[in-house]
Amino acid sequence: MDKPRVAFFSFSSCEGCQLEVLNLEDRLLNLVNVVDIVNFREAMSERSTNYDVAFVEGSITSPAEIPQLNKIRQQAKVLVTMGACAHLGGINCLKNHFRVEISQKLVYGDKWHYFPSTVAQPLEVVVKVDYFIPGCPVDKEEFLRVVKGILWGQKPFIPDYPVCVECKLRGNVCIFFKGMPCAGPVIRAGCNARCPSYGNSCIGCRGLVSEPNITSWREMMGERGFSNKQADDLLEMFNSYWEVLAGE
Amino acid sequence: MNKDITINVHHITRVEGHGNLVVNLKEGKLEKINLEIVESPRFFESFLRGRYYSNIPLISSRICGICACSHNNASLLAVEGALGIKPSQQVVKLRKLNLCGEIIQSHILHFYFLALPDFLRAPSIIPLATTHLEEVKRGMRLKELANDICVTLAGRHIMPVANIPGGITSVPPKASLQSLKERMIAARSDLWEAVELFSTLETPKFERETTFVSLKRDDEYAFYDGDIYFSTGKRVPPGTYLEYLKEKIFPHSTAKHCFFEGKPYMVGALARVHNNYELLHPQAKEALKKLFINIPTFNPFHINQAQLVEAIHFNEVGIELIEELLKEDLRVEELKKPNKYSSWVGATEAPRGLLLHDYTFGKDACLIKANCIIPTAQNLANLEEDLQKFLLQLLDKPQEEITLLLEMLIRAYDPCISCSVHCLKVEYV
């Protein structure tokens, strides 16, 4: 493969995932030895519409974003989502619990119609996605592994076991034992249990494992004195897109 | 001069988020100059409603990737204030050190990655690695250090983990603090090299008087909390912000614009240096001199220098905080629980300026109402007035030069568009 041309794009998001790529610091210079970065609005003035691999962060939350994403899909041979917003809809989907106009009116008052908005959606709802890099934000090491996989023509490995596995491997005290709620039992690992290792709950940013036992997890939460509301709140933080659809 | 100028920069580069610059000048008469903020709104203020208090700062940090720790902090202050929680002195020190890391990280990112390429006429930092390798590596080294401060204190810079209402869930081992301190002491020479480099770069000449707004405290260069201070001399508690800061909505911007007494004002590094000059660290004052900056200055391009000066200041503040923490018995304290449910305004200094989170909680410990006032939104009206005045002094220059200089002015403000819109974008062509 020739040096692939790589582009970064962002939709509705905090751009934290692009920043995490900049946090590679001098390894960024190694990266540009093996790929040509041709589009990275947050960091460079050059832009190109000719690229092979598109890394896209953010979710789709306004009508104008849909044709932009379609254009990227048409151009890119490989489309990779970066982070929870692109992968799951993420935090942005919390607004889906309210009717869109309600949010618009609450924030912009009688000027609400200036700024069209839609239900927040993960990218795969609009276009075919080749690979996902989960997390809020992505982890720069995992980003590099995915880039290497693409360069070698191999499907990047993303774990499909729960965060609890990594907590055990690290010898962490279980967050439940500390009297705090945790989404770890149903959430996809690969973060090396970062949040529990810093003493905080897993908040679910990498998405559900492929066969999550949500019922049993809710029971566990209940037995430890957490209300259904607290369980919902925790799981909904990043994972409410499909749930809200099911509720309708 | 009967000149026509049309500029349409769709999605300004090297800024955080999506903004367009649109200029329309016909026969020497300015018809339109807008910084269009086209970032899609994300409606945090709407969807924070109904959420359980302990998750609020985790959700709020997601407003911005660059200043996640500041959003986290403003949110913590608001939640804890509303719920009657007073964090311990140790927790406050750990949080302050984390914020020092974030301010240095953001300022260094802006100086080396976003602003410096303009001054050296390069499209990004990547070609500078060929022409200015030492400088580029220095920038990366400093950014990495600042990043590591946040990782050590909060688990991560982008989306901090360990700070939650009631306290902090992990404390760094003393050996990690000691090693950070040694690296911060070593970073003094790198920071001074950055000052030397900047002192050789030519800053565009431009001035427009404005009001500077920042936090103020009597005992320190305010950054963690404090009163709201206006350079007109007014000093008010954060809880009264609605009486002084008025938000307005314009069709060209998904980010609201803010006004004080009907006029635009400036927040951020230059505002802080101006309002709190006396409390700057002596080394930071020395850097100001070396950079030929006399306070007051009303040249918005000096925001760049003010940021560098603050990086020096907060590196020193960080070293002092570590020295204090090393003398204490560091341990994870039990999280403090809510003892009431009311309203509070959390005010902190994000890298780009004054940041307010205003929350009201109900008896079920869930949020009822949220309002967030973001630094970039506060600067937008001021930036647009600067763009207007600056353009009129540039009319005899070629259009390409005008565009570059206007973009440089926008970048000097270091706008954080995602943040300001929580909802800002320039258009895909």
Side-chain angles (χ1 to χ4, degrees), chain B residues 408-428:
Chain B
M408 278 177 77
L409 177 57
I410 295 170
R411 279 189 207 108
Y413 273 82
D414 191 9
C416 190
I417 296 181
S418 300
C419 207
S420 66
V421 182
H422 18 297
C423 358
L424 199 161
K425 253 172 203 182
V426 188
E427 220 171 18
Y428 286 96

Side-chain angles (χ1 to χ4, degrees), chain B residues 144-158:
Chain B
E144 189 169 28
L145 167 60
N147 215 21
D148 288 347
I149 297 175
C150 299
V151 173
T152 308
L153 271 294
R156 189 160 58 191
H157 166 240
I158 307 172

Side-chain angles (χ1 to χ4, degrees), chain A residues 114-127:
Chain A
Y114 283 175
F115 312 115
S117 187
T118 60
V119 167
Q121 306 163 72
L123 301 192
E124 65 174 333
V125 173
V126 182
V127 294

Side-chain angles (χ1 to χ4, degrees), chain B residues 296-334:
Chain B
T297 164
F298 292 101
N299 182 346
F301 287 98
H302 286 161
I303 296 170
N304 293 307
Q305 285 92 333
Q307 287 187 334
L308 197 50
V309 165
E310 277 198 337
I312 291 176
H313 173 83
F314 284 109
N315 190 53
E316 295 304 319
V317 172
I319 293 171
E320 287 164 17
L321 280 165
I322 292 180
E323 284 169 350
E324 288 175 32
L325 286 163
L326 286 172
K327 288 184 207 145
E328 294 179 15
D329 170 27
L330 289 180
R331 59 197 165 82
V332 179
E333 300 160 356
E334 200 176 328

